[in-house]
Amino acid sequence: MNAFVIAALLLVLLTISYQVGWSRSRRLAGASSERLHSRPIYHGVLVALFALLPAIVVLGLWALFSGSVSRAFILAQLPPETAQLSQVQLQAAIGRVQAIATGFGVAGEPAPEEVAAARAFETFQLVSFLAVIGAAAALGAGALFLAQRRIGLRLRARTEVEIAVRIGLIACSTVAILTTIGIVLSLLADALRFFSFINPLEFFFGTTWNPRFQSTGTGSAGEYGLLPLLWGTVMISLIAMLVAVPIGLMSAIYLSQYAHERVRNVVKPIIEVLAGIPTIVYGFFALVTVGPFLAGVGDAVGLDINATSALTAGVVMGIMIIPFISSLSDDIIAQVPRAMRDGSLGLGATQSETIRRVLLPAALPGIVGAILLAVSRAIGETMIVVLAAGNSPVLRFNPAEPTSTVTVSIVNQLTGDADFTSPQSLVAFALGLTLFVMTLLLNVLALYIVRKFREQYE
Amino acid sequence: MSDTLLSNADHGAANRERVRKSLARRHRSETMFRWAGILSIAAALGFVAILFGMIISKGLPSFWQSTVHVEVYFDPELIEGGPQPQRQDSASDADHRAAMVQWQRDVTLSNWNAIVDTALRTSAPDFEIETRDLLELVTSAARFQLRDRYFADPDVLGQTVPVTILASANTDNWLKGTIDRSQPDSRQQLSASTRQLADELLAEGVISFDFAWHIFTNVDSRSAPASAGLAGAFMGSLYMMLIVIVLAVPIGVASAVYLEEFAPKNRWTDLIEVNINNLAAVPSIVFGLLGAAVFINYLGLPRSAPLVGGLVLTLMTLPTIIIATRSSLRAVPPSLRQAALGLGASRNQTVFHHVLPLTFPGILTATIIGVAQALGETAPLLLIGMSAFIANIPANPLDSATALPVQIYLWQGNENRNFFEARTSAAIMVLLGMMILLNAIAIFLRTRLERRK
């Protein structure tokens, strides 16, 4: 009902103001021999903008504060000892009054003071609603009156509307900045709170990760050494690169230099399918298929390989990254000038010699940039390692054993009913900050290399 | 080459031999290089094939689930609470609801297990079996199913009605053979008599493998794994995708338009540009941290709500849409802008009337691809509590909910591995199916709309 009235009010205001602006400007144009600066549409839109803004501001403020105001009003109506009740009982008492006021009623006979409060609340609601609607309508109408008086032959209505549009566009593009600021501030603030519990040196150089769970309270906090997690992250990323770089690079070379156009058109999209698969699917794949397979292979050759290990996670992450490497290197190889290739072939080099001795060295910086981008993606990857790395945050160097990573620990520390005051959950933000800085540096470096390389041939 | 060598008599045979050898070596390495390329491509394609093959082969069987078809007698002696209370004229809404709640409580407290028991016994009258073992045959949700059937239609009291009940997850494992049948009794999840009865009923046709529609219509369930479905997660994902589309597309397109068409080239816009490129590369889990710190902790929005998930995914998708929109704006020929400006259009008119309409196909495909990415994202949702167990279909974006990929995460961790490995693969098939559908729509729209231009 309320929403309907508000929508109707805004709609009526919109229609009337647009109509007023439009028709007044048209009349003006008809009556005068001079031409209007802007077309009537813009006058209409401008008047509508002027009329709607104050009404929306009033309604918005009401939406923000009406809840707490009506609670305070009901509380004032109830006998004074109600205020002594606990938070939950207070909530229930207020809820009962609201239920009676809406006519839904409460089970059983309501107490007389409740009925009285409910009657008073009903009146209050009606009055406040009428007041707000009235204020919004009056302000809107006032603004409408003022705006339509501005209409004249010289009014630059279009320019003003365009400025409003421009302001809207600018507001939208600041969202990206606000997001970054939000990320940095929230990570930094909570990480600093974490560092007030734990010495940063201990965090960055500690070799034991044992954050004891928080049911023990905020007392002694456990050990938060980052190094085991960092090493796990690096090891898994290394394995992923060992899988992805050769396969990705060779596929890119073959597809761009050797393969028939038709083969390329079929194979390339199929490989790119790998990039679109959600990482949770890769995690499940690693857990159910790759892990047991690797363990079986290990058994067959006499090696002790765990089903959930750095190796499993790394191999599957490598598979995920193949299309990333192949499409980036494909682009970069394609940018090497044709003349260099043709020159090498013309001197009698075979195709593979041309690729290895001419194309690859020329494309090398770009490929390195692409690999760095892939590394930053591997470092930030979460679901595969959550499922397949075994979650064992111990510093060890055998890739066939379980390990843990920065991202896994963030998930572990923040899932469940964490309160945001204990070091056990705050450490997630310190880890997040580390991750953010690492990937940021890698990305900036990679983009710098790729861009620098591009300039060489332009 | 060999002709010139031949003419040079001095070097003769030795040289020829040397060149032939080196040529052979070079050709060998050429072949090997080529084969390395072919093998890499084969490996990549092989991974795709194995991945899809494994998921389909594991997931398909779980779409057909063993179902028991029985005649249920709604016994008036067992169902308590009497007839459904009628609305009294004098009663307020609250009083009427209290009476209904009381009645529903009485009905719920009736011995529904006994009704299930009787129904199962009538379909196998000669079989000697204890009640406890008999009830193991069907899902523990059976009694709620019958109760809900009664709530929906209290007139069935005293009648016999055909009902299909899901077999329990353990029965399903046994009948499908996903559990080793040769294991001794002590290692089996079902008693010997239940297993025998299950086999017998399957042979008689009382139990059959029916298409498991409930995967799409039920919500997740902890006590009755056989009836667990995806509906709740699906609705959660749907709400989030709606929020992403409603917020990310207008904001993304607007900022792309501003940056590409209006923004002066100065330090500020450079900053925004670098920012957007960086945001596109920030690990997704960091967005989850942002959501936990800002939306939940600071702004006090509810945990586990699709609204928060949607906001987080919006921020993640925004860079994708901005970058794609900018590149399609860049692809619009400048002559078009100059023509519009030359005819006296303002810059706003040029952009909104002439340039932007040409980029709609690009924006549309970018949107769909962004949404598909957001649909599969899991990690940030774990941090804002969307991995909680939710047994309701969320009615609005502020209700607790989970999402499709998070449901996959929850199911893969279920203890009943024999049953849930298949169910997880089935959920993955649903998710991948939706993503393939989205991508197909994107490709279709791109080819269709671009041709018309």
Coordinates of all heavy atoms in Angstrom, one line a residue, chain B residues 170-185 187-188 190 194-196 198-200 202 209:
Chain B
N170 N 21.1 -45.4 0.8 CA 21.8 -46.6 0.9 C 21.2 -47.7 0.0 O 21.9 -48.5 -0.6 CB 21.7 -47.1 2.3 CG 22.6 -46.3 3.2 OD1 23.6 -45.7 2.7 ND2 22.2 -46.2 4.5
T171 N 19.8 -47.7 -0.1 CA 19.1 -48.6 -1.0 C 19.6 -48.4 -2.4 O 19.8 -49.3 -3.2 CB 17.6 -48.5 -0.8 OG1 17.3 -48.5 0.5 CG2 16.9 -49.6 -1.6
D172 N 19.6 -47.1 -2.8 CA 20.0 -46.7 -4.1 C 21.4 -47.2 -4.4 O 21.6 -47.8 -5.5 CB 19.9 -45.2 -4.2 CG 19.9 -44.7 -5.7 OD1 19.1 -45.1 -6.5 OD2 20.9 -43.9 -6.0
N173 N 22.3 -47.0 -3.5 CA 23.7 -47.5 -3.7 C 23.7 -49.0 -3.9 O 24.4 -49.5 -4.8 CB 24.5 -47.2 -2.4 CG 25.1 -45.8 -2.4 OD1 25.2 -45.2 -3.5 ND2 25.4 -45.3 -1.3
W174 N 22.9 -49.7 -3.1 CA 22.9 -51.2 -3.2 C 22.3 -51.6 -4.6 O 22.9 -52.4 -5.2 CB 22.0 -51.7 -2.1 CG 21.7 -53.2 -2.2 CD1 20.6 -53.8 -2.6 CD2 22.7 -54.2 -1.9 NE1 20.7 -55.1 -2.6 CE2 22.0 -55.4 -2.2 CE3 24.0 -54.2 -1.5 CZ2 22.6 -56.7 -2.0 CZ3 24.6 -55.5 -1.3 CH2 23.9 -56.7 -1.6
L175 N 21.2 -51.0 -5.0 CA 20.6 -51.4 -6.2 C 21.4 -51.0 -7.4 O 21.4 -51.7 -8.4 CB 19.2 -50.8 -6.3 CG 18.2 -51.4 -5.3 CD1 16.8 -50.7 -5.4 CD2 18.0 -52.9 -5.5
K176 N 22.1 -49.9 -7.4 CA 22.9 -49.5 -8.5 C 24.3 -50.1 -8.5 O 25.0 -50.0 -9.5 CB 23.1 -47.9 -8.5 CG 22.0 -47.1 -9.0 CD 22.3 -45.7 -9.0 CE 21.1 -44.8 -9.5 NZ 21.2 -43.5 -8.9
G177 N 24.6 -50.8 -7.4 CA 25.9 -51.4 -7.3 C 27.0 -50.5 -7.1 O 28.2 -50.8 -7.4
T178 N 26.8 -49.2 -6.7 CA 27.9 -48.3 -6.4 C 28.6 -48.7 -5.1 O 29.5 -48.1 -4.6 CB 27.4 -46.9 -6.3 OG1 26.2 -46.8 -5.5 CG2 27.2 -46.3 -7.6
I179 N 28.0 -49.7 -4.4 CA 28.7 -50.2 -3.2 C 29.0 -51.7 -3.5 O 28.3 -52.4 -4.2 CB 27.7 -50.1 -2.0 CG1 28.5 -50.3 -0.7 CG2 26.6 -51.0 -2.1 CD1 27.7 -49.8 0.5
D180 N 30.1 -52.1 -2.9 CA 30.6 -53.5 -3.2 C 29.6 -54.5 -2.6 O 29.5 -54.6 -1.4 CB 32.0 -53.7 -2.6 CG 32.6 -55.0 -3.1 OD1 31.9 -55.7 -3.8 OD2 33.8 -55.2 -2.7
R181 N 29.0 -55.3 -3.5 CA 28.0 -56.2 -3.0 C 28.6 -57.4 -2.3 O 27.9 -58.1 -1.5 CB 27.1 -56.7 -4.1 CG 26.1 -55.7 -4.6 CD 25.2 -56.3 -5.6 NE 24.0 -55.5 -5.7 CZ 22.7 -56.0 -5.7 NH1 22.5 -57.3 -5.7 NH2 21.7 -55.2 -5.8
S182 N 29.9 -57.7 -2.5 CA 30.4 -58.9 -1.9 C 31.0 -58.6 -0.5 O 31.4 -59.5 0.2 CB 31.6 -59.4 -2.8 OG 32.6 -58.4 -2.9
Q183 N 30.9 -57.4 0.0 CA 31.3 -57.1 1.4 C 30.5 -57.9 2.4 O 29.4 -58.1 2.2 CB 31.2 -55.6 1.6 CG 32.0 -54.6 0.8 CD 33.3 -54.3 1.4 OE1 33.6 -54.8 2.4 NE2 34.1 -53.5 0.7
P184 N 31.2 -58.2 3.5 CA 30.4 -58.9 4.5 C 29.4 -58.0 5.2 O 29.5 -56.8 5.1 CB 31.5 -59.3 5.5 CG 32.6 -58.3 5.3 CD 32.6 -58.0 3.8
D185 N 28.4 -58.6 5.9 CA 27.3 -57.9 6.5 C 27.8 -56.7 7.4 O 27.2 -55.6 7.3 CB 26.5 -58.8 7.5 CG 25.3 -59.3 6.7 OD1 25.2 -59.1 5.5 OD2 24.4 -59.9 7.4
R187 N 30.2 -54.7 7.1 CA 30.6 -53.6 6.3 C 29.5 -52.9 5.5 O 29.7 -51.9 4.9 CB 31.8 -54.0 5.4 CG 32.9 -54.7 6.0 CD 33.8 -53.8 6.8 NE 34.4 -52.8 5.9 CZ 35.6 -53.0 5.3 NH1 36.2 -54.1 5.4 NH2 36.1 -52.1 4.5
Q188 N 28.4 -53.6 5.4 CA 27.3 -53.0 4.7 C 26.5 -52.0 5.5 O 26.3 -52.1 6.7 CB 26.3 -54.1 4.2 CG 26.9 -55.1 3.2 CD 27.0 -54.5 1.8 OE1 26.6 -53.3 1.6 NE2 27.5 -55.2 0.9
L190 N 23.3 -51.4 5.0 CA 21.9 -51.9 5.2 C 21.9 -53.4 5.7 O 22.9 -54.1 5.5 CB 21.2 -52.0 3.8 CG 20.8 -50.6 3.2 CD1 20.2 -50.9 1.8 CD2 19.9 -49.9 4.1
T194 N 16.9 -56.1 4.6 CA 16.6 -54.9 3.8 C 17.1 -55.1 2.4 O 16.4 -54.8 1.4 CB 17.1 -53.6 4.4 OG1 16.9 -53.7 5.8 CG2 16.5 -52.4 3.8
R195 N 18.4 -55.5 2.3 CA 19.0 -55.7 1.0 C 18.2 -56.7 0.1 O 17.9 -56.5 -1.0 CB 20.4 -56.2 1.1 CG 21.3 -55.0 1.4 CD 22.6 -55.3 2.1 NE 23.1 -56.6 2.0 CZ 23.8 -57.1 3.0 NH1 24.0 -56.4 4.2 NH2 24.3 -58.3 3.0
Q196 N 17.8 -57.8 0.8 CA 17.0 -58.9 0.1 C 15.7 -58.3 -0.4 O 15.3 -58.5 -1.5 CB 16.8 -60.0 1.1 CG 16.6 -61.4 0.4 CD 16.2 -62.4 1.4 OE1 16.6 -62.3 2.6 NE2 15.5 -63.4 1.0
A198 N 14.9 -55.2 -1.0 CA 15.1 -54.3 -2.0 C 15.3 -55.0 -3.4 O 14.6 -54.6 -4.4 CB 16.4 -53.4 -1.8
D199 N 16.1 -56.1 -3.4 CA 16.3 -56.8 -4.6 C 14.9 -57.4 -5.1 O 14.6 -57.3 -6.3 CB 17.3 -57.9 -4.4 CG 18.7 -57.4 -4.3 OD1 18.9 -56.3 -4.9 OD2 19.5 -58.1 -3.7
E200 N 14.1 -57.9 -4.1 CA 12.9 -58.5 -4.5 C 11.9 -57.5 -5.1 O 11.3 -57.8 -6.1 CB 12.3 -59.1 -3.2 CG 11.4 -60.3 -3.5 CD 11.1 -61.1 -2.1 OE1 12.0 -61.8 -1.7 OE2 10.0 -60.8 -1.6
L202 N 12.6 -54.7 -6.5 CA 13.1 -54.3 -7.8 C 12.6 -55.3 -8.8 O 12.2 -54.9 -9.9 CB 14.6 -54.1 -7.8 CG 15.2 -53.6 -9.1 CD1 14.8 -52.1 -9.3 CD2 16.7 -53.7 -9.1
F209 N 13.7 -47.5 -11.4 CA 14.6 -46.4 -11.5 C 13.8 -45.3 -12.3 O 13.6 -45.4 -13.5 CB 15.9 -46.7 -12.2 CG 16.7 -47.6 -11.4 CD1 16.9 -49.0 -11.6 CD2 17.4 -47.1 -10.3 CE1 17.7 -49.8 -10.8 CE2 18.2 -47.9 -9.5 CZ 18.3 -49.2 -9.8

